[in-house]
Amino acid sequence: MQTARDLFLDVGYGGTTMDAVAARCGVSKRTLYQLFPAKTDLFRVMMADHRRSMLALPRPPGEDLPLLEALAAIFRLDIDEIDNRDRLAFVRLVLADSDRFSEIGEMIEQEGAEPARRLLEDWLAARQVRGELRAFPADALARMLMDMIFSVLIKRFPGDRLLTVEDRARHARLCLDVFLHGAAAKAA
């Protein structure tokens, strides 16, 4: 998978062929096609694998971390610089090629952002049932939280200085704190 992923990152979705994947992986085309009948099937598996690099969900059974620490673990704020660069490269590939290849948009819905949002929604709803979060539509909470955190971890606007992984994690933790506690001063 990593070798195929590297090829997609090197030449893009459109430039990657199953012939090239087979050659780079050192397997026959027949073997590759037995595993993945089409390029979309291979990319779909990579998309699902990538989702786990973005959100560590579902969580281990019986885990009882405080909300802030659990959310930091879910969003993988402890990721190292190399793994962070790898996950950002895949995000950039998907974003760049999704405009040209409609099947990538479909895969995002089926294997990427939407399943991730639903997993986060379920986790947040379970924390609501435990009384740790106030009653609020869990789907809206999941969407807001993903917008807050991924805008820090992924997006970079022209003129922004490149943040280190530590800077991004620190800022993401501030976002989590605002998410959990708000920004308004406590009433006296």
Side-chain angles (χ1 to χ4, degrees), residues 2-186:
Q2 186 60 47
T3 302
R5 180 183 170 114
D6 291 344
L7 179 60
F8 277 100
L9 292 173
D10 288 347
V11 299
Y13 182 82
T16 300
T17 65
M18 292 296 272
D19 288 345
V21 171
R24 190 173 282 193
C25 291
V27 298
S28 70
K29 287 192 308 185
R30 180 182 179 138
T31 299
L32 182 62
Y33 278 108
Q34 286 176 338
L35 296 169
F36 305 102
K39 178 168 78 168
T40 54
D41 298 310
L42 174 59
F43 202 79
R44 183 178 316 280
V45 170
M46 285 192 280
M47 180 80 67
D49 186 56
H50 175 74
R51 181 184 70 233
R52 289 182 284 280
S53 81
M54 298 299 292
L55 284 178
L57 285 171
R59 300 300 300 155
E63 180 182 73
D64 197 28
L65 293 173
L67 277 174
L68 181 60
E69 293 310 309
L71 287 168
I74 287 169
F75 284 99
R76 304 203 53 222
L77 298 186
D78 62 345
I79 195 167
D80 66 34
E81 193 70 48
I82 293 168
D83 288 339
N84 189 54
R85 268 193 237 123
D86 187 50
R87 89 176 161 177
L88 291 179
F90 192 79
V91 168
R92 288 186 186 109
L93 165 71
V94 168
L95 293 176
D97 284 357
S98 64
D99 287 342
R100 296 183 301 158
F101 302 98
S102 61
E103 61 266 30
I104 293 178
E106 293 168 16
M107 285 183 250
I108 291 170
E109 277 191 43
Q110 296 167 357
E111 302 296 339
E114 280 307 303
R117 187 194 53 74
R118 286 191 303 274
L119 286 167
L120 183 58
E121 177 184 337
D122 292 345
W123 185 87
L124 291 166
R127 290 296 182 117
Q128 286 174 320
V129 168
R130 290 170 55 172
E132 295 177 287
L133 293 170
R134 71 181 183 138
F136 195 85
D139 62 329
L141 282 177
R143 193 172 303 280
M144 283 184 238
L145 188 53
M146 288 174 76
D147 287 348
M148 289 173 75
I149 302 303
F150 290 144
S151 70
V152 173
L153 298 180
I154 296 171
K155 295 178 184 168
R156 195 167 148 238
F157 300 100
D160 282 354
R161 67 182 175 88
L162 186 60
L163 297 176
T164 66
V165 72
E166 292 84 11
D167 292 337
R168 289 173 189 268
R170 192 172 18 266
H171 189 79
R173 282 185 176 275
L174 290 173
C175 290
L176 291 174
D177 185 55
V178 168
F179 175 81
L180 292 173
H181 303 108
K186 302 257 189 243

